[in-house]
Amino acid sequence: MKISFPHPLIILLAFVLLSWLATFLVSSGTYDRQIDEYTGREVVIQGSYEAIEKQNVSYDEMVKAIPEGIILGADILVLILLIGGAFYVVEKTGALQVGVEALIYSFRGNTYLLLVILSICFSIAGATIAMQEEIIAMVPLLIVLSKKLNYDVKSIVGLTLGSSLVGAALSPINPFNSLLAQKLAEVEVSEGLVYRLVFFAIGIGVWTFLMIRNGKNKNSITEKIELKPSSIGWRNGLILFLSLGGIIFMGWGITQKDWGYNEMSAFFFVIGFACGLIGKLGINGTARVYTAGFGEMIFAGVIVGLARSVYLILEKGMIIDTVIHSMFTPLEGLPDQLAVMGLFISQLLIHIPVPSTSGQTVLTIPLASPLMDLLGISRQLAVFTSQYAVSMMDLLTPTNGGMMAVIAAAGIKFNDWIKFIIKSWLAVIGICLISIFYKI
């Protein structure tokens, strides 16, 4: 009997079980924390770790953590349902199909240019607003695009989600890890700005090249298809303007008006219904299509919630601080290069049980910065090792609900995704390490 790779639901349930078992095997402990006046965030006090009485998590608590994690992720779940439903409506009006055909026709002589522009746009989105969950709702568009361009959908996801995460990893201005880490490490934003922009360009360039090179669908018919210009029409044009323009407007709302998930959900709920009415689906027809869209996106939303369940169990067992302490303490006596490499690897591993980008930054930077002081090297390396590791690991760890939701919505198996990106991932990791070691 052929053994298939586990379903994403099984993978995350396995992580829930492993995190529960870890609460029995790992000692409970905690760091003291205080509010940092400069950032307004709670930070760890260096040298304050102490072991506490074992906080075992019962079987009942472990099982209840599954729905609790989904409830904690309710805001993202609603966002996925409402934005995903809106794009499902757009797809059913036919405007998406027509728009993609027109786009491909416009770049009929240079598909590579289209893919490069796609990657650059998403890398900038990742560099500025760390776009990730928002891409879940765009998956229907990405699937259509991959079919029309005869490219593997994994490559198209790599040029969108992947480029966004690589952009977030190498960005000097990402507010969720770079800027936050620099504040916590008391490093000026301007320090090494040009240096980091150079490596941002190199990293995105290498990632984009590898995604495009590896993405051509070798199993599909390769004969040249004669493309004909298609008229978008005013209805389809208005629908595309509202839906795609809405994404741009959403970015403005996030950066300028401090929009949260509720504002984004409400905004696209209105857009979805408006597009259905413009596309002549009717009131009842739009409602039926919208609810069908919920069915398509619900699994992606559950995946995000289950990823939070893992962290919730570790938090209840109070073993997260113990893991951090165990990884960082041995590094203090190592030579500079080994200590920095150990710090980078530790940050990679920590991101599996701590999937929150800002959460890991707040937890580890106050500990990593004094380590850099002890080694007599720049605190900027504490920022580099944290930022690079966190966002790059987001491409691999199944505890990252956003990534798991995107590939699940795109119909990509987790093991196939890892096989497709791993060499490109290692190439960018190599660039990150060059950036780190050159600064030592």
Side-chain angles (χ1 to χ4, degrees):
M1 183 178 69
K2 184 178 179 180
I3 300 176
S4 59
F5 193 82
H7 189 275
L9 180 64
I10 300 302
I11 293 173
L12 280 171
L13 287 176
F15 267 85
V16 168
L17 180 61
L18 288 173
S19 64
W20 176 60
L21 294 175
T23 63
F24 293 94
L25 301 175
V26 179
S27 301
S28 300
T30 182
Y31 282 102
D32 291 333
R33 290 165 168 80
Q34 63 183 11
I35 300 298
D36 185 272
E37 294 181 1
Y38 186 53
T39 63
R41 291 175 178 264
E42 190 178 58
V43 297
V44 174
I45 299 175
Q46 174 71 9
S48 65
Y49 176 82
E50 62 177 352
I52 61 173
E53 183 180 350
K54 195 77 182 75
Q55 303 294 310
N56 290 331
V57 177
S58 69
Y59 174 79
D60 288 345
E61 288 178 308
M62 184 267 289
V63 175
K64 287 191 293 185
I66 296 174
E68 285 173 1
I70 296 174
I71 292 169
L72 285 174
D75 50 358
I76 300 180
L77 174 59
V78 172
L79 177 73
I80 291 170
L81 291 178
L82 294 182
I83 296 185
F87 273 91
Y88 194 78
V89 170
V90 172
E91 182 186 10
K92 292 306 178 182
T93 64
L96 197 60
Q97 182 86 3
V98 172
V100 170
E101 289 175 355
L103 183 65
I104 295 173
Y105 180 79
S106 299
F107 286 90
R108 61 191 180 281
N110 201 336
T111 299
Y112 296 131
L113 179 60
L114 171 60
L115 295 175
V116 168
I117 292 173
L118 187 72
S119 180
I120 291 174
C121 289
F122 276 88
S123 67
I124 293 173
T128 53
I129 62 172
M131 178 180 283
Q132 186 173 176
E133 284 87 358
E134 296 85 352
I135 298 174
I136 299 169
M138 304 178 195
V139 170
L141 173 62
L142 303 183
I143 293 174
V144 173
L145 187 63
S146 70
K147 291 179 179 178
K148 291 295 179 180
L149 294 178
N150 193 27
Y151 261 76
D152 192 323
V153 69
K154 294 188 289 292
S155 174
I156 302 300
V157 172
L159 289 166
T160 51
L161 174 68
S163 293
S164 180
L165 290 173
V166 172
L170 296 168
S171 168
I173 57 171
N174 181 348
F176 299 100
N177 52 17
S178 178
L179 295 182
L180 176 58
Q182 288 179 87
K183 284 184 179 181
L184 294 172
E186 298 180 346
V187 173
E188 293 294 330
V189 176
S190 59
E191 184 178 329
L193 181 62
V194 175
Y195 180 82
R196 302 185 69 183
L197 286 174
V198 169
F199 278 94
F200 173 84
I202 294 172
I204 292 299
V206 169
W207 178 265
T208 302
F209 169 76
L210 293 174
M211 287 294 104
I212 293 175
R213 187 191 68 176
N214 300 331
K216 190 65 177 176
N217 197 335
K218 300 178 179 62
N219 298 322
S220 297
I221 299 174
T222 56
E223 63 182 72
K224 187 176 181 180
I225 300 174
E226 190 67 31
L227 295 172
K228 298 180 180 180
S230 58
S231 175
I232 293 181
W234 75 267
R235 287 185 185 276
N236 290 331
L238 183 55
I239 291 171
L240 292 173
F241 174 78
L242 287 175
S243 55
L244 302 182
I247 296 174
I248 298 173
F249 190 83
M250 181 175 68
W252 174 84
I254 294 170
T255 57
Q256 301 299 317
K257 296 296 183 180
D258 198 28
W259 277 14
Y261 294 128
N262 288 345
E263 288 83 0
M264 289 187 283
S265 299
F267 178 61
F268 267 94
F269 180 75
V270 174
I271 285 181
F273 257 89
C275 288
L277 296 176
I278 294 170
K280 298 195 296 186
L281 295 179
I283 295 177
N284 287 333
T286 300
R288 282 193 292 268
V289 173
Y290 214 126
T291 51
F294 290 164
E296 294 289 323
M297 302 303 297
I298 187 66
F299 175 64
V302 171
I303 286 293
V304 174
L306 284 176
R308 293 198 173 199
S309 300
V310 174
Y311 183 80
L312 186 61
I313 292 172
L314 298 176
E315 189 177 48
K316 286 183 177 181
M318 299 191 73
I319 65 173
I320 294 175
D321 286 1
T322 302
V323 172
I324 303 295
H325 177 73
S326 301
M327 287 185 166
F328 276 18
T329 301
L331 301 178
E332 295 180 0
L334 295 177
D336 294 359
Q337 289 80 2
L338 289 179
V340 173
M341 174 62 83
L343 181 60
F344 182 70
I345 294 173
S346 296
Q347 293 282 21
L348 286 171
L349 296 176
I350 289 169
H351 199 56
I352 298 174
V354 186
S356 168
T357 298
S358 57
Q360 181 170 340
T361 301
V362 169
L363 186 63
T364 61
I365 288 296
L367 304 174
S369 296
L371 176 61
M372 297 298 100
D373 293 341
L374 289 172
L375 296 173
I377 54 183
S378 172
R379 285 191 172 194
Q380 189 70 261
L381 291 181
V383 176
F384 284 7
T385 52
S386 172
Q387 180 183 347
Y388 294 164
V390 168
S391 292
M392 289 303 296
M393 200 62 183
D394 268 342
L395 281 164
L396 297 184
T397 176
T399 54
N400 176 18
M403 179 273 291
M404 292 293 286
V406 170
I407 65 172
I412 302 170
K413 293 181 179 179
F414 179 68
N415 59 317
D416 291 337
W417 169 248
I418 299 299
K419 287 178 183 177
F420 182 79
I421 68 165
I422 190 63
K423 291 182 179 179
S424 303
W425 186 86
L426 290 172
V428 177
I429 286 290
I431 293 170
C432 292
L433 289 174
I434 292 172
S435 169
I436 291 170
F437 285 122
Y438 190 76
K439 277 290 186 180
I440 295 178

